[in-house]
Each structure stands twice: as structure tokens, then as C-alpha cells.
Amino acid sequence: MKVLVIEDDITTREFIAQGLREHGFVVDEAEDGHQGLMMATSCDYQLIILDRMLPMLDGLKVLAALRATENQTPILILSAMDSVEDCVAGLTAGSDDYLTKPFALAELVARAKILVKRNQASATISSEYIYDDLRLDIKSHRVWRGSRMLNLQQKEFLLLQYLMEHAESVVSRMSLFESVWSYHFDPKTNVIDVHIANLRKKLEEGGEPSLIHTVRGAGYVLRRI
């Protein structure tokens, strides 16, 4: 399991790297955003641990650059910015997890293992989901509505995949959050609502009828009306 740690604080970076190595990870280190981006795009990693505030290139800009090139390596953001708004911003930008500083090494390692395991599991799947005029191909990580290909962020893709797996069944916000973000649901966050709204907009921007519907007090459902 090869991991890239992008962190400018040498004490924190070495603490993380040593802890991961003790749990069987192979770790590369980068000390600023520019170096981290270059390493992330020139080598295959199973996980990137990315500090949000970096010299040379901000962590969110590194994240945006990677996602713009369709690099879907799982990314765990580390940040001292711990407000709900900051967390939502990091998640909606395309990260797979968000951990605030200070943190326990055991929690970081646990989250890292979850992200790597989930990514390895999804990489072995070569099937596709079809519902109405929607087609989602897991292997190529592409989605079409009719003949129109959609440009979805990683979290939007995973949310749609979960909804298609449970088509015509109501799924709760908690189950969506825990399935896509892999940690316990925080009732104060509106990250699910933000992603669902963005996903709906992309699904319907060609004038197609709605497929994702809100069931008040229960969650969401993928269903033809």
C-alpha cells in the first residue's frame, strides 16, 4: 500500500509517515504543494494524505488539479480548520475524507486503511449500472444520461452509484454519508444536500426529467415519476 504524505510541517509529516510505515504502508513524502502535485501525477499511489494549508500551492488547489486530470486516487485532507463550513468545503472539492488537527494517529491509520480497502474493492469491479436512460460504468468511471456524458466529481459519482444500486428504494442521508464518506454521520453537516443538489443539476441540465427525489423525513430515492 503506497501512500503520499504532503505536509509542510516536518514534525507532523515524519510522525504520520512513521506511523503508517509501522502499519505496513510504503510512504513517500512531499514538503509543499508543488512538489506534492508533481509526485502525485508521476507515480501511482493508493492514498494521498494532503495538508490543506501548504506553501507553494494550497492543498485545495492540489486537490482541484488532480481531479481535473481525472486522477481518482483517494485523498484524505488534514487541516487545522475545523468548522463545519471548512469540512464541507474540503469534501465538496473532491476529497474522500477530512480529518482535523490535532488528531490521533490510530484514527488516521484507521481512516487510511478504510479508504485504501474501498478503493481496491472498487477497482476489481468491471460491471455497470443502468436505470432508465442513466448508465454508470464503474470500470471507466463514466456516466451517461442518454447520449450525454456527465462530468461528475468523485463524490457525486459514488452517490449516484449508491442510488442506482438501491434504485426505487428510499435511502437515508445517514446511509449515504456512511457509505460514501466511510465514517459516522454528522447531523450538523449539509454536505449530502450540497452534493445531491449538484448531482441533480448535472442530471437534468439537458432538460431531462428528474430522477432523484427527496422523501421528506426519510432520505432520497432514484425513481421515475
Side-chain angles (χ1 to χ4, degrees):
M1 296 182 288
K2 193 169 185 179
V3 178
L4 173 61
V5 178
I6 309 174
E7 166 65 64
D8 63 311
D9 182 79
I10 187 170
T11 302
T12 302
R13 188 174 69 247
E14 291 181 348
F15 170 70
I16 294 169
Q18 181 61 29
L20 290 171
R21 290 183 180 116
E22 289 175 357
H23 285 83
F25 291 88
V26 175
V27 183
D28 287 345
E29 303 175 39
E31 62 184 17
D32 60 59
H34 183 264
Q35 182 188 29
L37 180 59
M38 295 299 292
M39 293 176 67
T41 54
S42 61
C43 185
D44 290 329
Y45 293 98
Q46 281 68 60
L47 175 67
I48 297 171
I49 296 176
L50 175 64
D51 185 36
R52 180 163 176 174
M53 301 189 68
L54 291 166
M56 303 294 289
L57 194 63
D58 177 77
L60 291 187
K61 291 181 179 178
V62 174
L63 173 59
L66 289 171
R67 295 306 188 227
T69 61
E70 298 188 357
N71 184 316
Q72 299 302 326
T73 303
I75 294 177
L76 167 61
I77 287 183
L78 297 178
S79 179
M81 303 167 69
D82 59 359
S83 72
V84 172
E85 292 77 13
D86 291 323
C87 181
V88 169
L91 294 170
T92 56
S95 71
D96 297 85
D97 204 347
Y98 192 102
L99 184 60
T100 58
K101 299 177 180 180
F103 55 85
L105 180 61
E107 182 178 7
L108 174 65
V109 171
R111 293 194 185 199
K113 288 181 176 179
I114 288 170
L115 290 172
V116 170
K117 182 179 179 180
R118 187 177 68 193
N119 192 54
Q120 288 174 336
S122 65
T124 64
I125 300 173
S126 59
S127 60
E128 65 178 16
Y129 293 93
I130 297 175
Y131 182 84
D132 198 55
D133 60 349
L134 272 179
R135 181 162 66 93
L136 182 148
D137 187 285
I138 296 173
K139 188 174 182 179
S140 66
H141 207 273
R142 293 179 178 178
V143 177
W144 293 264
R145 180 126 198 216
S147 60
R148 182 169 61 89
M149 191 168 71
L150 310 183
N151 182 22
L152 301 186
Q153 291 186 0
Q154 171 75 353
K155 286 295 181 291
E156 294 166 352
F157 184 91
L158 293 173
L159 283 170
L160 182 59
Q161 179 183 335
Y162 190 86
L163 288 167
M164 293 182 76
E165 287 173 349
H166 300 83
E168 302 194 4
S169 298
V170 177
V171 294
S172 68
R173 294 173 74 248
M174 180 180 292
S175 63
L176 281 171
F177 195 91
E178 293 183 342
S179 173
V180 173
W181 277 273
S182 299
Y183 55 92
H184 191 66
F185 177 71
D186 180 356
K188 299 189 294 296
T189 182
N190 68 340
V191 65
I192 290 289
D193 309 284
V194 171
H195 277 82
I196 289 290
N198 290 337
L199 182 55
R200 278 176 171 150
K201 182 177 179 180
K202 292 179 180 180
L203 288 175
E204 300 166 19
E205 64 186 358
E208 300 90 346
S210 300
L211 284 177
I212 299 176
H213 307 280
T214 302
V215 181
R216 184 168 297 180
Y220 301 97
V221 61
L222 185 72
R223 179 187 296 156
R224 307 177 190 91
I225 293 297

